[in-house]
Amino acid sequence: MNIETLKSVANAIVAKQKGVLAADESTPTIKKRFDKVNVESTEEIRRRYREILFTSEGIERYIGGVILYDETLRQSTQDGIPFPELLLSRGIMPGIKVDKRAKDLALFPGEKITEGLDGLRDQLIEYKELGAKFAKWRAVIEIDEHNIPTDYGIRANAHALARYAALCQELDIVPIVEPEVLMDGSHTIERCEEVTSRVLETVFTELDTHRVVFEGMLLKPNMVIPGLKCVQQESPEKIAEATIRCMRRYVPAAVPGLVFLSGGQSAEDATANLNAMNMIGPHPWEVSFSYGRALQAPVLEAWKGQESNVAAAQKMLLKRCMLNGYARDGQYDHDMERTE
């Protein structure tokens, strides 16, 4: 393990005003996204869409890393340039999602466990040869108002995250550790903070036990936020206060950055909440973003599978990246949404 290599990549991903574009949707997931804009999901159309994203002019100013799917990591531009090579040439770190998605946790109804540890070391070796500099593993933490998650459900997912992270660092691949407490449901912001606290405390205990070097990893946490069905929704200021309080209590200062997931928030809400968190800094770690839908949904709406719309789609991606870059400094204003 080369700690300096790990630190260098991690810090490059969360450099000033930069964050992560999550373009790692599985084939079934991206089909759902394409269906919403009436675009057929074929391998070539998926390749073309990702090429549109990765060749958008100016995004390297705000994007430090891109998470790829297995199919995408192996694809190239129309000119034959492999996507990892293209991204690196623009100063953007290519990464790869390595988990095999969440399945039901046996004997624990309503809870999930992420699979994919079997054969992961060999898989990571191949991904490194293909150009991946970092990886991502997502643990899905279901939440209700009273009983879920259980302590065992949290421990099981934390253990898997730590084993994954150790395997990554063994090969000088930066692990992004993603324990996502879901936004679904009617739970309050207080309940989300309680569960997120338990999750983070357990995750970092397991990471430490597995000898994971905190300086050579990134955390992809959920924001502390009410469930989508909760009657009492909260302001960006209240969300920022609760989230940062929770992170300060349980995330070691040695971690270079937090790259928050959007988790089903609208593009504007995700940016506003990120901005609010950075307005109450400084923080011991970079407070950044790793957004999928919150960056891509407006792009898909602009593109709709039409080559004539490529310029508009790329312009929209640059705008969303730029606004989140401003939010990284606490300088975003909602009026910016209405400007070109």
Side-chain angles (χ1 to χ4, degrees):
M1 177 174 62
N2 187 322
I3 295 176
E4 291 306 313
T5 296
L6 293 169
K7 288 167 64 176
S8 175
V9 172
N11 285 308
I13 293 170
V14 292
K16 183 176 174 59
Q17 288 195 318
K18 292 188 179 184
V20 176
L21 167 61
D24 59 333
E25 301 89 355
S26 66
T27 302
T29 298
I30 200 167
K31 181 182 185 303
K32 293 177 184 176
R33 307 271 170 87
F34 280 2
D35 286 346
K36 291 180 179 179
V37 292
N38 297 314
V39 174
E40 185 182 5
S41 181
T42 66
E43 183 176 351
E44 171 53 26
I45 292 175
R46 292 191 296 272
R47 187 209 64 79
R48 177 57 181 148
Y49 172 62
R50 264 64 182 260
E51 181 179 24
I52 290 168
L53 296 178
F54 305 156
T55 57
S56 295
E57 185 177 352
I59 63 167
E60 66 274 10
R61 178 67 187 82
Y62 309 104
I63 298 296
V66 175
I67 310 172
L68 305 172
Y69 186 55
D70 180 275
E71 175 185 81
T72 316
L73 185 70
R74 304 173 190 277
Q75 290 176 329
S76 304
T77 67
Q78 288 175 323
D79 298 331
I81 302 171
F83 283 151
E85 182 180 326
L86 170 71
L87 292 168
L88 276 173
S89 72
R90 305 187 69 184
I92 300 172
M93 297 293 152
I96 179 70
K97 177 175 77 170
V98 297
D99 65 73
K100 301 301 183 185
R101 308 188 73 181
K103 306 291 175 63
D104 290 340
L105 181 60
L107 304 182
F108 284 78
E111 296 190 81
K112 303 286 186 182
I113 184 69
T114 302
E115 298 182 346
L117 289 170
D118 288 349
L120 181 57
R121 179 183 274 117
D122 291 338
Q123 194 173 39
L124 286 168
I125 291 170
E126 181 187 11
Y127 287 152
K128 184 176 181 178
E129 291 173 350
L130 289 169
K133 301 295 184 183
F134 70 96
K136 190 207 76 166
W137 178 290
R138 174 179 180 243
V140 177
I141 309 297
E142 300 278 354
I143 176 174
D144 67 12
E145 297 173 65
H146 304 290
N147 302 315
I148 293 176
T150 61
D151 288 342
Y152 176 74
I154 293 172
R155 287 202 313 272
N157 277 289
H159 181 78
L161 281 167
R163 285 187 61 194
Y164 140 80
L167 286 166
C168 285
Q169 289 193 341
E170 178 185 64
L171 294 167
D172 297 332
I173 295 172
V174 170
I176 292 185
V177 174
E178 181 181 5
E180 180 181 1
V181 178
L182 296 179
M183 281 180 61
D184 304 331
S186 56
H187 56 274
T188 63
I189 192 171
E190 290 81 11
R191 173 65 173 156
C192 182
E193 183 172 359
E194 173 200 341
V195 171
T196 302
S197 297
R198 289 166 56 202
V199 169
L200 291 177
E201 182 177 27
T202 307
V203 165
F204 279 99
T205 297
E206 285 289 341
L207 288 169
D208 189 48
T209 300
H210 283 72
R211 301 181 178 177
V212 171
V213 177
F214 295 156
E215 291 88 347
M217 61 162 282
L218 296 170
L219 179 71
K220 182 171 179 175
N222 55 280
M223 297 179 193
V224 175
I225 198 165
L228 292 171
K229 298 176 184 176
C230 181
V231 174
Q232 181 64 44
Q233 292 299 309
E234 303 291 353
S235 66
E237 292 73 23
K238 178 97 179 262
I239 290 167
E241 180 185 350
T243 303
I244 294 301
R245 178 173 59 239
C246 185
M247 300 298 138
R248 281 184 173 272
R249 286 174 175 169
Y250 298 103
V251 181
V255 175
L258 316 180
V259 287
F260 281 92
L261 58 92
S262 51
Q265 300 175 64
S266 71
E268 294 182 14
D269 285 349
T271 305
N273 290 334
L274 176 66
N275 184 72
M277 285 189 281
N278 279 300
M279 286 184 71
I280 58 174
H283 306 301
W285 359 253
E286 295 294 327
V287 174
S288 187
F289 60 92
S290 177
Y291 292 165
R293 272 174 292 182
L295 287 176
Q296 292 187 55
V299 179
L300 278 168
E301 283 292 335
W303 175 54
K304 295 182 178 177
Q306 303 298 316
E307 283 297 311
S308 58
N309 293 334
V310 167
Q314 292 184 323
K315 187 176 180 180
M316 179 58 72
L317 178 61
L318 177 59
K319 178 178 179 177
R320 292 256 51 95
C321 292
M322 180 181 68
L323 293 179
N324 284 291
Y326 285 136
R328 286 274 279 110
D329 288 338
Q331 295 180 351
Y332 164 82
D333 188 284
H334 191 264
D335 289 342
M336 295 175 179
E337 297 286 350
R338 295 189 289 273
T339 65
E340 291 296 320

